[in-house]
Amino acid sequence: ISIPFKGQTAPGGRLASITSSDLASDQWEVDLALESGGKTTRLSGFGMHPDARDGRDAFDDFVPPRFFDYAEVYTNHPEHIAGRFARDVVATSREHTWTFEVDTNLDGPATLRWDPSLFGDNDLELYLLDVRAQQLVDMRTSASYAFDPSRSREFKFYYGTELKDKVRPSGVVLGQATPNPTNSRTNISFSLPDVPGGSKVVMEAYDLMGHRVQTLLEGQYPGGFHTTTWDVSAYNDGLYIYKLVVDNTHGKTTLTGKVIVSK
């Protein structure tokens, strides 16, 4: 069946496409691939173009209808009838922040992937923030980010310069240990607000009997995003609790998380 159509669409149904990923160009786009439960979705991305606008334009694309299994990356646009955009291109500017969500009905861990080799030789930065885990990722030095989609659903993408000074946590957040379960090492992230003099921080690990098995860190820390690594290779299989205690001018905050050791 031949259906005539006046015009040309880009892959995914868009009316226009962008071929560059060089962040210094006046028109660029970063493609995002989501791997979840053995399924890979390559429909999402974000970028800039002089002719684009904040709302719907020819460079944007919608989330396709769901059938059975699905793994989606999208940004919400409630002002449009479609509601969710898989690709979001905005007008060219010096900096911008995109907020995307991940939704999947597939079990197990998921991974977001991109190609930093296409970003070009320039000083422009691109960072990913896992809002729930408070994990900040330099997208120039990493090509992927693994996470648990049952916990982490919201992600922010920051574009600009000197972003480490601009992307700041607003409070104390303790992230989920990754990988988890683990048989060797696991990374635990946490964020601290900017307060005078910094925060006194203690992180300790306990077994299920309530016995302290290790002090993971202790000291005075500045505001920002932090990560510590716990080597569990010497511990028996089982469930362990890690506790973060933060004391600063805002008061004392205690947060806990869980790690499963499985060898």
Side-chain angles (χ1 to χ4, degrees):
I1 299 175
S2 177
I3 302 176
F5 175 73
K6 292 183 178 180
Q8 185 172 346
T9 62
R14 295 187 294 170
L15 297 176
S17 63
I18 301 173
T19 59
S20 174
S21 294
D22 189 329
L23 301 183
S25 172
D26 66 345
Q27 49 182 286
W28 58 268
E29 188 172 37
V30 173
D31 294 324
L32 296 174
L34 173 63
E35 298 175 1
S36 177
K39 179 181 178 66
T40 301
T41 304
R42 304 181 185 275
L43 299 176
S44 300
F46 59 90
M48 291 184 169
H49 193 283
D51 298 331
R53 56 179 184 268
D54 290 341
R56 164 64 172 163
D57 55 55
F59 306 98
D60 298 330
D61 199 9
F62 304 128
V63 177
R66 294 176 178 175
F67 292 98
F68 301 102
D69 293 336
Y70 61 87
E72 302 171 341
V73 185
Y74 60 86
T75 181
N76 287 301
H77 277 268
E79 80 284 354
H80 193 275
I81 189 172
R84 302 181 301 163
F85 290 6
R87 290 184 178 268
D88 192 13
V89 177
V90 300
T92 304
S93 63
R94 296 174 61 90
E95 59 183 40
H96 192 79
T97 303
W98 291 264
T99 301
F100 276 77
E101 294 185 19
V102 168
D103 194 7
T104 177
N105 66 345
L106 302 170
D107 295 330
T111 302
L112 281 169
R113 298 190 184 276
W114 57 89
D115 188 352
S117 68
L118 303 177
F119 293 171
D121 184 13
N122 52 71
D123 61 353
L124 292 164
E125 301 171 347
L126 202 59
Y127 278 82
L128 175 155
L129 174 65
D130 181 334
V131 176
R132 175 69 181 273
Q134 286 293 286
Q135 186 73 36
L136 188 66
V137 180
D138 185 345
M139 296 179 68
R140 275 194 175 275
T141 59
S142 300
S144 64
Y145 176 67
F147 61 99
D148 181 355
S150 67
R151 294 175 56 88
S152 297
R153 294 176 53 92
E154 183 179 355
F155 299 87
K156 291 183 180 292
F157 296 90
Y158 298 89
Y159 163 79
T161 57
E162 300 179 354
L163 293 179
K164 284 250 180 160
D165 297 329
K166 300 174 183 177
V167 182
R168 309 301 297 173
S170 58
V172 178
V173 177
L174 178 62
Q176 183 184 16
T178 305
N180 190 10
T182 182
N183 60 7
S184 56
R185 293 172 177 260
T186 188
N187 298 313
I188 304 172
S189 59
F190 62 97
S191 64
L192 304 171
D194 292 314
V195 295
S199 301
K200 182 180 179 181
V201 177
V202 178
M203 185 183 294
E204 298 173 324
Y206 296 82
D207 62 21
L208 284 183
M209 299 299 294
H211 301 136
R212 184 177 62 189
V213 297
Q214 188 174 340
T215 298
L216 304 179
L217 57 87
E218 183 174 10
Q220 203 76 12
Y221 284 76
F225 300 93
H226 305 273
T227 300
T228 187
T229 300
W230 182 20
D231 186 350
V232 302
S233 56
Y235 295 101
N236 296 325
D237 289 6
L239 180 66
Y240 294 82
I241 307 297
Y242 57 94
K243 180 174 72 173
L244 175 72
V245 179
V246 177
D247 193 359
N248 55 35
T249 55
H250 293 171
K252 182 176 288 189
T253 302
T254 301
L255 300 171
T256 61
K258 300 177 182 178
V259 172
I260 298 175
V261 177
S262 178
K263 300 178 181 179

